[in-house]
Amino acid sequence: LGENRTMSYRWWSCCRTDTGRKRRINEDAYLDMDDIGLWVVADGMGGHSKGDVASRIIVESFNGLGKPASMNEFAYIVKSRLKQANNRIIESVGPDQIMGSTVVAFLVYKREWRCIWAGDSRAYLLRNGRLIQISHDHNVAQEMVDRGELRQEEAAFHPFANRITRAIGTRNDLILDEYCSFLRDGDTVLLCS
């Protein structure tokens, strides 16, 4: 549990991970750098080799990161570190192997925040009793919803819900999504795999 006081507000953060019921190895990794306002959740791609290694490479890519001078600088650095992790993962596997991880990062600078992600690890904002999904899943089922072929309520149970269309380590041309806004008193943010 961490506490930080910046610009007349404070925040607390905590992290937890669990192996789950399906796998023997925990493929999740997280980063809690509340002193600079950065939180990251990475979920290794199950069914492929070394998802736990991929998620750990992502988290480790932020080692030595200091306080940013602006939100634009902060977002640029986070995206650069994710691209470096992407390259490192690709370079560490053979030509016929896939090793990857989804990622969701949440950055705070003063009262401005940004969410940056690839895959279906999610970010939610709880504000005034209402839970809002910030991120947008990168998987085949969500693409079907976006095209009007499937209802949103059906997406979670669709056989293609676990087929990821974007992740760190799966392609040379990493594409990250980003959303930004401002914190309000009482906001709660949840990052999860």
Side-chain angles (χ1 to χ4, degrees):
L1 185 66
E3 180 181 342
N4 188 12
R5 297 174 189 265
T6 308
M7 296 295 294
S8 74
Y9 67 90
R10 60 185 176 185
W11 62 66
W12 291 267
S13 63
C14 62
C15 301
R16 181 176 175 197
T17 184
D18 186 80
T19 304
R21 298 181 200 160
K22 290 186 178 182
R23 306 202 189 285
R24 290 179 289 126
I25 298 171
N26 189 347
E27 296 186 343
D28 296 339
Y30 62 83
L31 177 73
D32 179 356
M33 295 181 77
D34 67 338
D35 57 325
I36 66 167
L38 175 64
W39 299 267
V40 177
V41 170
D43 180 10
M45 291 170 48
H48 297 283
S49 53
K50 301 179 184 172
D52 58 321
V53 174
S55 61
R56 195 170 54 249
I57 288 172
I58 291 168
V59 167
E60 289 172 356
S61 72
F62 294 100
N63 287 344
L65 188 64
K67 261 191 186 287
S70 70
M71 178 51 87
N72 286 337
E73 176 192 67
F74 202 4
Y76 175 81
I77 291 168
V78 167
K79 289 185 277 190
S80 295
R81 297 276 180 116
L82 290 173
K83 288 177 183 178
Q84 290 170 7
N86 186 65
N87 294 339
R88 188 170 161 215
I89 292 168
I90 289 170
E91 291 167 2
S92 66
V93 295
D96 296 331
Q97 289 182 309
I98 295 175
M99 179 170 73
S101 175
T102 65
V103 68
V104 60
F106 193 81
L107 306 63
V108 177
Y109 180 81
K110 297 185 179 177
R111 283 199 177 252
E112 185 177 358
W113 62 259
R114 286 201 193 174
C115 182
I116 299 169
W117 73 95
D120 63 357
S121 287
R122 291 181 174 177
Y124 292 92
L125 173 66
L126 179 63
R127 177 176 285 166
N128 299 324
R130 186 168 171 235
L131 189 65
I132 304 159
Q133 185 176 337
I134 299 168
S135 57
H136 187 78
D137 291 350
H138 298 137
N139 62 37
V140 174
Q142 185 61 52
E143 287 181 355
M144 293 171 70
V145 170
D146 295 344
R147 290 191 304 263
E149 300 169 4
L150 190 66
R151 290 195 330 257
Q152 188 67 55
E153 311 80 59
E154 300 170 323
F157 305 104
H158 195 277
F160 296 154
N162 292 327
R163 287 200 186 165
I164 305 301
T165 57
R166 284 195 217 171
I168 307 288
T170 59
R171 298 172 49 155
N172 289 325
D173 61 333
L174 175 64
I175 300 169
L176 298 164
D177 273 356
E178 186 173 346
Y179 186 81
C180 60
S181 190
F182 292 88
L183 289 172
R184 295 184 193 164
D185 290 347
D187 282 351
T188 300
V189 176
L190 171 68
L191 304 181
C192 58
S193 59

